[in-house]
Amino acid sequence: MYELKGKRPSLEAPPRFKKPGTLTVLTWILFAVLLGLGLQGAELNWSRLVNGIINMGNFVATAFPPDPSRFTPIMMRMLETFEIALVGTVIGVLASIPIALCCSRNTCSNVLIRTVVKSAVSAMRTIPDLIWALIFVISVGLGPLAGILTIAVDTIGFCARFFSERIEEMEKGPAEALESAGASRFGVIAGAILPAGFPSFVGTSLFSIEKAVRSAVILGLVGAGGIGVELSTAMSLRKFDEALMIILMILVVVITVEQISSRIRKRVI
């Protein structure tokens, strides 16, 4: 083909290695220094690793078989955990839709509003769950309400970002057609943007409820309600057989939620 076009293929081999720039070298040096300091801080050695494996074996031997004597109160706490995750996720998803519309370039033309809302969503997403839980425990007291508010804030940080990205990726045709027919801004959003984004919104919401169930388990450790309170108490009192029962119950619930979520996602998307 090259001969037909009067061109000859180049015999020069492509460069195998590109000399890194100064910034790249400094980044690698910083990475190596931080990695070394981290390993040094962890005090990693064979003695500790071997003792850790032995202690893990002792824990499993002590915890097995799991103690089902407190099955009913633990089950009620697990149900409370699921309710915290469900209510918090529903509130977060519903709040994420208008927030995402305010974050998107094609639905909010005001740069100031867009920047402020995006910054707030980033802050919600960046601050870890446990810190939000501690803040809400201080604000509203111990119990499920602090957990629900924590899950709601975390869900907004997660869903609003992905909802916004999906809205900005949408084709402009349907929205422009409605605008040319005289539809209001609300009509365009309700008639074109929300229906087009619905499958993606559902998929993201299902991912967020899986995430919320796992988070709700941890929130109990700081007093935000749920099964974490039972797990923390069992561990503190060294009732490892009861702790194993709680862990197995958490495992069953999390896997069940993931399976149901996966099946719904396959049907919708």
Side-chain angles (χ1 to χ4, degrees):
M1 184 169 67
Y2 285 105
E3 291 178 357
L4 291 174
K5 291 181 179 179
K7 294 181 180 178
R8 299 181 64 183
S10 174
L11 299 177
E12 186 178 351
R16 299 282 181 180
F17 180 74
K18 186 179 178 182
K19 185 179 179 181
T22 306
L23 184 61
T24 304
V25 173
L26 291 175
T27 303
W28 276 108
I29 292 173
L30 179 63
F31 172 76
V33 170
L34 291 175
L35 183 63
L37 290 174
L39 290 173
Q40 186 181 5
E43 298 178 0
L44 191 64
N45 55 59
W46 283 111
S47 173
R48 293 194 68 187
L49 286 176
V50 171
N51 287 332
I53 293 172
I54 294 171
N55 291 334
M56 181 68 74
N58 291 334
F59 168 75
V60 174
T62 310
F64 193 83
D67 179 14
S69 61
R70 295 192 67 247
F71 181 82
T72 302
I74 291 172
M75 191 64 204
M76 295 307 293
R77 281 289 192 180
M78 195 66 239
L79 182 62
E80 182 183 85
T81 302
F82 183 74
E83 290 169 352
I84 289 171
L86 185 65
V87 175
T89 304
V90 169
I91 293 172
V93 167
L94 292 177
S96 294
I97 295 173
I99 291 173
L101 292 170
C102 293
C103 291
S104 307
R105 288 192 300 274
N106 49 342
T107 52
C108 179
S109 56
N110 190 311
V111 179
L112 180 61
I113 293 176
R114 216 165 55 226
T115 305
V116 170
V117 177
K118 273 188 174 181
S119 302
V121 170
S122 296
M124 291 179 185
R125 190 172 56 251
T126 306
I127 298 174
D129 295 356
L130 283 180
I131 295 178
W132 280 118
L134 289 170
I135 293 171
F136 285 124
V137 164
I138 292 170
S139 305
V140 301
L142 298 168
L145 180 57
I148 289 171
L149 294 174
T150 302
I151 296 295
V153 169
D154 185 59
T155 302
I156 291 171
F158 180 75
C159 286
R161 175 191 172 186
F162 289 103
F163 288 3
S164 169
E165 290 179 356
R166 178 67 188 99
I167 290 170
E168 290 184 343
E169 291 170 355
M170 288 178 186
E171 295 181 1
K172 296 179 180 178
E176 290 176 345
L178 286 175
E179 284 177 350
S180 63
S184 63
R185 178 61 63 90
F186 178 78
V188 171
I189 291 172
I193 292 175
L194 293 183
F198 182 74
S200 176
F201 295 168
V202 172
T204 305
S205 302
L206 291 170
F207 275 124
S208 68
I209 197 165
E210 292 176 20
K211 183 171 173 288
V213 170
R214 287 191 291 270
S215 297
V217 170
I218 304 298
L219 298 182
L221 299 176
V222 293
I227 195 71
V229 178
E230 294 285 342
L231 184 60
S232 175
T233 304
M235 286 294 212
S236 302
L237 298 175
R238 302 184 71 80
K239 294 181 177 178
F240 296 140
D241 50 354
E242 187 176 311
L244 182 60
M245 185 69 203
I246 296 169
I247 292 169
L248 291 175
M249 197 172 287
I250 292 170
L251 193 64
V252 169
V253 171
V254 170
I255 291 175
T256 304
V257 170
E258 286 182 353
Q259 291 297 319
I260 294 172
S261 167
S262 177
R263 292 193 177 191
I264 296 174
R265 209 161 35 239
K266 284 179 182 175
R267 285 177 177 269
V268 174
I269 299 177

